[in-house]
Amino acid sequence: MQTNPETNSELSFDDFKAEVLNDYKIAVTSRECSLLGRREVLTGKAKFGIFGDGKEVPQLAWAKAFKNGDWRSGYYRDQTFMMAIGELTVQQFFAGLYAHTDLEADPMSAGRQMGGHFATHSLDAQGQWKNLTAQKNSSADISPTAGQMPRLLGLAQASKIFRNVKGIKNKTTFSINGNEVAWGTIGNASTSEGLFWETINAAGVLQVPMVMSVWDDAYGISVHAKHQTTKENISEILKGFQRTEEDQGYEIMRVKGWDYPVLIETYQKASALAREEHVPVLIHVLELTQPQGHSTSGSHERYKSEERLQWEREYDCNLKMREWMIANNIATEASLDEIEKSIKKEVRDGKKAAWEAFLAPQRKEQQEAITLLTNLTESSSNKNFIEKIKNELASDKEPLRRNIAAATRKALRYVVNEESSEKRQLLDWIENYFETIQPKYSSDLYSEAEENATTIEEVPPVYADDAEEVDGRLILRDNFDAIFSKHPEVLIFGEDAGKIGDVNQGLEGMQEKYGEYRVSDAGIREATILGQGIGMAMRGLRPIAEIQYLDYILYCLQIMSDDLVTLRYRTKGRQKAPLIVRTRGHRLEGIWHSGSQMGGLVHLLRGMYILVPRNMTKAAGFYNTLLETDEPALIVECLNGYRLKEKMPSNLGSLRTPIGLVETVKEGSDITLVSYGSTLRIVEDAAKELQQVGIDVEVIDVQSLLPLDLNQDLVKSVRKTNRLLVIDEDVPGGASAYIMNEIVDVQNGYQYLDSKPQTLAAKPHRPAYGTDGDYFSKPSAEDIFETVYRIMHEADPKNFPKLR
């Protein structure tokens, strides 16, 4: 008798036989999809192919151990697993290859990711959380190798939080007592990446329910394992992580990737251990193959010996499973031949259906365009030119939207001097076409819900008559206290964030009050701190990941840029990670902890908010605002502001700073000065000095860089003053240039300028060490004064004679 892994009940031989045969059908189906998928790429119907062939059998075993509520964070070869858990059909597989923009056709990404990148839906069509414990969950894949690892850590840690923290709202829709396992997969070569090692170490420290599968086929693209891994064996060199009776660590298992029954036993053991005891497990799956090589970009015959290729043919996991089934009287060779023949037809039919479904809407759009072009030819003196464009479009049997849009737009060039109803109809159609089609490729970068972070209204700070002047850090600390009391799902973690209450004491006493699960220290490992936050946010918690200094963002920038900020977009709004990233920066002396990477961050982090409060009251308000919504954000606190005095508000926990709105901190009539963060205080000092010489400046704090000035108040100021200077401590061409572009180009401020708009940035290097180094590296009050004075001198040399 055999045991059903799902129910732990005994199976009859007939039931066991049926289950094995079903598994084999899934394996063969997946293999046929890989083989036919490669052909579709080579014919040009699909743009790129990277497939899961050679990894089918271990993924069948994994799927049997995977339960409702569990999470996958894998890499782009897990198609068999997705089929086995019922989340990927043949037609969906090919729809993904063809980049079908309908979420019903390609539920993984609606054509936004190449094939092999898998996801399930955590959110419904209205953007509300589904019951994640009632389904099998896959976090949306990313291509960068090992990029899935940091997120995996957070997905696993969430189970630990749910098991140990009381009072979390709607807990049972996200977890059942922390019993969920986070399952990771990676190719053996990608274990060379730093993200793998950082995650493995962190999971061992945290003791989270994570099972990590390493698919080992001895190569990384064309490079053999001897060039990738010490001793050519990842589990061998990870032996020091093996737990003992005295020390916590990993359970490390090895299994051959073609041994179906042993694979099932191995994955069941790993599941039970991680699920019940929250022990991380590493499964090294050896002796796998990659029958088609790495991808459609090359052939593995170029770099594998004939001996290796012959071994791969003999030890193909599907072939070995087939041999095992015949040897154990589960099936005959003839019956398996019949199954394989039937599946080949099913896959071909699925491919054909996917292609026809992909083309159907485009053929309809093509016909609409042809009709409009036909009408235009009848009314135009350039009939022959338009007819040629129409005929070329009509001859396209498999039309792409690019070709449809290009044809109609090119036709307009021939009627530029003509007026007709046919031309008007074509113009209207093109405008409507882009309004309809563009969102298929551009929507959901940010939340598109009616209530999102930019709609949360401001709640100004309230001050008692006898409000005390306190260090800014105390405002942050007491606001965090209010947050932790109000939101049991909020937790914060980072280097020095726990016991000592962060390096600037903004969390003083919080760990003692709320416990180590909610306010915790982390190792020096920024990428996985960020990953902890992503994974926990994907599971319904509200983490705040603290990166100690702005410079250290560079350690986790790849994870922020490739994973966090693209998540909502790459799932077309069906997954989210409302993570708050807390850091501090600006105006500290020296190369480190003082540089400003804002220009780079603004461009690399589209998809999350970048908030730059000028003081701690504003920062506290941003945290409160973000916790009223569900979007990721980076908050950069002023590093030199923790000891500066501010009035203590009486409404901490409820005051809110608006996102995307600028604030005029001083009104003026002669010139608009725009800045943010710590630099704004220097601008204010310079404004006072300029007033003394008769120059009345308007000072505006942008407050948030992403989004920037949603109400377009900056251009209103320029319309009043007719002059503009943007001041920033970033390098030239960085954030100041970004702000300038918004005002002059996007908001059309150029038309109101009487003087050349200018930026005043730092020198093109990090600040030199010391007070003097800082002064000669970044904009000073004197720099601002003299730059403004020169602008006014050019405009009115009589009243403002040359300064120097």
Side-chain angles (χ1 to χ4, degrees):
M1 300 290 282
Q2 301 291 329
T3 300
N4 185 333
E6 290 287 331
T7 63
N8 288 324
S9 59
E10 290 187 341
L11 289 173
S12 68
F13 181 76
D14 286 341
D15 289 338
F16 171 69
K17 174 181 173 180
E19 185 171 327
V20 172
L21 283 170
N22 185 63
D23 280 352
Y24 185 68
K25 289 176 183 177
I26 294 170
V28 173
T29 300
S30 180
R31 177 65 62 87
E32 287 300 317
C33 284
S34 295
L35 296 173
L36 196 51
R38 180 181 176 87
R39 293 178 206 161
E40 292 300 276
V41 175
L42 297 177
T43 63
K45 287 183 178 179
K47 293 299 180 184
F48 185 73
I50 195 158
F51 305 107
D53 47 305
K55 317 297 187 292
E56 292 90 351
V57 174
Q59 291 181 27
L60 296 172
W62 167 27
K64 291 181 181 301
F66 196 92
K67 299 184 182 300
N68 282 350
D70 284 1
W71 281 83
R72 168 191 169 272
S73 182
Y75 91 134
Y76 37 70
R77 300 199 189 277
D78 293 344
Q79 71 197 44
T80 308
F81 169 79
M82 295 298 292
M83 290 177 174
I85 64 170
E87 293 294 338
L88 179 67
T89 67
V90 170
Q91 189 165 337
Q92 289 168 347
F93 172 88
F94 285 101
L97 270 183
Y98 302 143
H100 197 142
T101 58
D102 188 335
L103 202 57
E104 293 296 318
D106 173 24
M108 305 302 149
S109 74
R112 295 182 177 187
Q113 295 216 78
M114 67 181 73
H117 293 67
F118 305 114
T120 53
H121 294 180
S122 302
L123 311 177
D124 61 22
Q126 289 70 47
Q128 301 301 308
W129 286 110
K130 298 170 70 177
N131 183 350
L132 303 184
T133 64
Q135 64 181 42
K136 294 176 171 64
N137 302 288
S138 174
S139 60
D141 294 338
I142 59 175
S143 280
T145 51
Q148 72 275 25
M149 293 295 297
R151 176 204 330 139
L152 172 65
L153 177 67
L155 291 168
Q157 189 183 4
S159 290
K160 204 166 200 73
I161 299 299
F162 282 119
R163 182 170 288 186
N164 291 282
V165 175
K166 308 301 179 187
I168 298 175
K169 298 173 185 176
N170 302 319
K171 184 174 179 177
T172 56
T173 65
F174 296 113
S175 176
I176 305 299
N177 196 36
N179 292 334
E180 301 78 25
V181 174
W183 302 80
T185 64
I186 195 168
N188 59 297
S190 293
T191 63
S192 302
E193 294 276 15
L195 295 176
F196 172 83
W197 290 94
E198 190 171 318
T199 303
I200 290 295
N201 180 59
V205 170
L206 293 170
Q207 288 293 286
V208 292
M210 180 181 104
V211 180
M212 186 68 228
S213 295
V214 179
W215 307 140
D216 192 344
D217 58 26
Y219 284 84
I221 309 182
S222 65
V223 181
H224 191 270
K226 66 184 179 184
H227 302 297
Q228 307 272 3
T229 310
T230 302
K231 299 184 179 181
E232 301 182 31
N233 191 315
I234 188 64
S235 58
E236 179 67 22
I237 60 175
L238 284 174
K239 276 184 175 179
F241 284 80
Q242 175 66 52
R243 66 186 183 134
T244 65
E245 291 184 3
E246 296 79 24
D247 297 313
Q248 293 181 331
Y250 274 77
E251 189 63 35
I252 299 177
M253 304 177 180
R254 295 186 189 182
V255 62
K256 293 176 180 178
W258 47 263
D259 196 337
Y260 175 75
V262 177
L263 281 161
I264 291 174
E265 180 183 3
T266 301
Y267 274 90
Q268 292 302 316
K269 288 179 179 177
S271 175
L273 186 59
R275 198 177 306 280
E276 296 162 15
E277 300 182 36
H278 280 194
V279 170
V281 181
L282 184 131
I283 304 177
H284 188 186
V285 185
L286 296 147
E287 296 191 13
L288 287 171
T289 67
Q290 201 151 274
Q292 298 186 115
H294 174 263
S295 68
T296 51
S297 61
S299 171
H300 65 156
E301 284 84 2
R302 291 186 300 164
Y303 54 85
K304 291 178 182 175
S305 67
E306 180 52 42
E307 291 77 15
R308 172 68 192 190
L309 291 170
Q310 181 59 34
W311 181 89
E312 290 197 7
R313 287 188 284 269
E314 293 175 3
Y315 280 84
D316 182 290
C317 62
N318 284 14
L319 175 63
K320 297 297 283 186
M321 183 178 178
R322 192 184 202 273
E323 292 172 350
W324 174 82
M325 292 166 65
I326 294 171
N328 287 275
N329 298 318
I330 293 171
T332 64
E333 190 165 347
S335 66
L336 294 179
D337 287 344
E338 192 62 34
I339 287 172
E340 292 159 7
K341 180 180 177 182
S342 174
I343 287 173
K344 286 179 186 288
K345 182 179 185 306
E346 290 175 13
V347 172
R348 286 196 302 271
D349 290 346
K351 175 199 74 80
K352 182 179 179 181
W355 183 243
E356 290 304 314
F358 170 72
L359 288 178
Q362 290 159 202
R363 283 177 171 150
K364 181 176 180 293
E365 295 155 16
Q366 177 194 38
Q367 192 55 53
E368 291 173 357
I370 290 170
T371 299
L372 289 165
L373 292 174
T374 300
N375 295 339
L376 190 64
T377 60
E378 301 302 322
S379 65
S380 175
S381 60
N382 287 314
K383 175 179 179 178
N384 291 339
F385 296 102
I386 300 170
E387 186 87 30
K388 183 172 184 260
I389 292 172
K390 183 199 75 172
N391 291 339
E392 287 177 355
L393 180 61
S395 67
D396 190 348
K397 302 303 181 185
E398 297 176 340
L400 296 177
R401 289 187 166 118
R402 176 192 65 182
N403 299 336
I404 297 167
T408 53
R409 294 168 76 185
K410 286 178 180 177
L412 287 176
R413 302 173 190 174
Y414 295 102
V415 292
V416 66
N417 294 318
E418 300 177 10
E419 288 297 331
S420 66
S421 60
E422 291 81 5
K423 176 183 175 181
R424 183 72 261 165
Q425 288 173 353
L426 182 60
L427 283 167
D428 291 343
W429 186 89
I430 292 172
E431 183 177 352
N432 180 70
Y433 192 64
F434 274 87
E435 287 178 358
T436 303
I437 301 302
Q438 185 67 54
K440 295 179 183 295
Y441 307 96
S442 304
S443 69
D444 295 289
L445 182 59
Y446 293 90
S447 172
E448 298 185 1
E450 288 187 14
E451 291 187 5
N452 57 52
T454 63
T455 67
I456 304 298
E457 293 188 2
E458 179 180 14
V459 177
V462 175
Y463 300 101
D465 293 339
D466 59 348
E468 185 182 0
E469 291 270 340
V470 300
D471 288 349
R473 74 169 185 91
L474 297 178
I475 294 172
L476 272 180
R477 182 198 66 183
D478 292 356
N479 192 73
F480 278 129
D481 191 6
I483 285 173
F484 291 133
S485 177
K486 182 180 179 181
H487 301 285
E489 68 277 13
V490 171
L491 55 152
I492 190 166
F493 46 92
E495 296 154 12
D496 298 319
K499 187 171 183 178
I500 70 169
D502 86 42
V503 290
N504 298 103
Q505 300 289 279
L507 293 167
E508 180 187 24
M510 294 298 102
Q511 185 182 84
E512 185 177 356
K513 185 171 183 178
Y514 293 101
E516 292 187 20
Y517 285 107
R518 296 191 63 196
V519 184
S520 55
D521 288 307
I524 301 176
R525 47 174 183 78
E526 286 77 13
T528 45
I529 290 173
L530 207 286
Q532 286 176 253
I534 296 174
M536 287 192 280
M538 293 184 74
R539 291 192 59 187
L541 296 169
R542 293 308 308 267
I544 301 173
E546 180 170 315
I547 304 299
Q548 195 167 69
Y549 296 108
L550 182 63
D551 308 69
Y552 298 166
I553 288 286
L554 298 180
Y555 282 100
C556 58
L557 185 56
Q558 186 261 322
I559 300 303
M560 293 177 73
S561 182
D562 288 333
D563 197 354
L564 178 60
V565 305
T566 68
L567 178 61
R568 191 185 293 265
Y569 169 78
R570 73 180 189 268
T571 61
K572 203 174 183 181
R574 293 306 172 91
Q575 288 187 359
K576 63 182 179 182
L579 168 64
I580 300 173
V581 182
R582 180 193 185 206
T583 192
R584 48 191 68 82
H586 307 312
R587 307 312 295 200
L588 190 68
E589 297 168 357
I591 293 177
W592 315 119
H593 314 334
S594 55
S596 177
Q597 300 86 27
M598 301 312 300
L601 298 181
V602 160
H603 297 296
L604 291 169
L605 299 181
R606 300 297 172 99
M608 72 186 297
Y609 298 128
I610 297 181
L611 311 176
V612 283
R614 69 179 182 271
N615 58 39
M616 301 309 161
T617 303
K618 290 287 185 180
F622 276 136
Y623 289 110
N624 298 338
T625 296
L626 289 167
L627 289 170
E628 295 298 317
T629 182
D630 63 350
E631 295 162 84
L634 169 67
I635 299 179
V636 184
E637 298 167 8
C638 295
L639 189 50
N640 61 358
Y642 296 105
R643 305 292 175 186
L644 296 180
K645 300 297 182 184
E646 299 180 38
K647 275 188 177 182
M648 175 64 82
S650 58
N651 61 336
L652 291 177
S654 58
L655 68 91
R656 296 174 191 160
T657 307
I659 291 175
L661 301 185
V662 304
E663 180 180 356
T664 302
V665 298
K666 178 193 175 300
E667 293 192 355
S669 57
D670 290 331
I671 186 171
T672 298
L673 306 187
V674 181
S675 192
Y676 62 87
S678 295
T679 305
L680 195 84
R681 290 196 287 272
I682 300 172
V683 175
E684 290 182 280
D685 291 341
K688 294 173 185 176
E689 296 173 359
L690 287 162
Q691 193 81 48
Q692 295 171 8
V693 297
I695 300 175
D696 185 20
V697 305
E698 183 147 294
V699 179
I700 299 180
D701 178 8
V702 301
Q703 300 197 102
S704 63
L705 290 170
L706 285 178
L708 176 60
D709 189 21
L710 295 175
N711 287 350
Q712 300 205 339
D713 290 323
L714 293 171
V715 75
K716 295 171 188 172
S717 174
V718 172
R719 187 163 53 201
K720 178 174 66 171
T721 68
N722 308 119
R723 294 176 183 86
L724 172 65
L725 176 65
V726 181
I727 306 102
D728 176 44
E729 67 169 29
D730 199 7
V731 296
S736 58
Y738 161 75
I739 295 169
M740 178 71 77
N741 177 74
E742 172 68 25
I743 301 169
V744 175
D745 191 9
V746 178
Q747 297 185 12
N748 294 318
Y750 68 91
Q751 60 189 315
Y752 305 115
L753 291 166
D754 292 337
S755 298
K756 182 182 77 171
Q758 296 186 38
T759 62
L760 178 59
K763 296 295 185 285
H765 55 72
R766 298 284 182 89
Y769 175 63
T771 301
D772 288 342
D774 185 73
Y775 184 85
F776 287 97
S777 299
K778 297 180 182 176
S780 64
E782 290 72 37
D783 292 329
I784 298 167
F785 181 98
E786 292 176 4
T787 303
V788 172
Y789 192 92
R790 281 195 296 270
I791 293 171
M792 296 308 297
H793 164 72
E794 181 185 47
D796 187 0
K798 181 179 179 181
N799 287 319
F800 304 104
K802 190 171 183 179
L803 190 63
R804 65 181 176 93

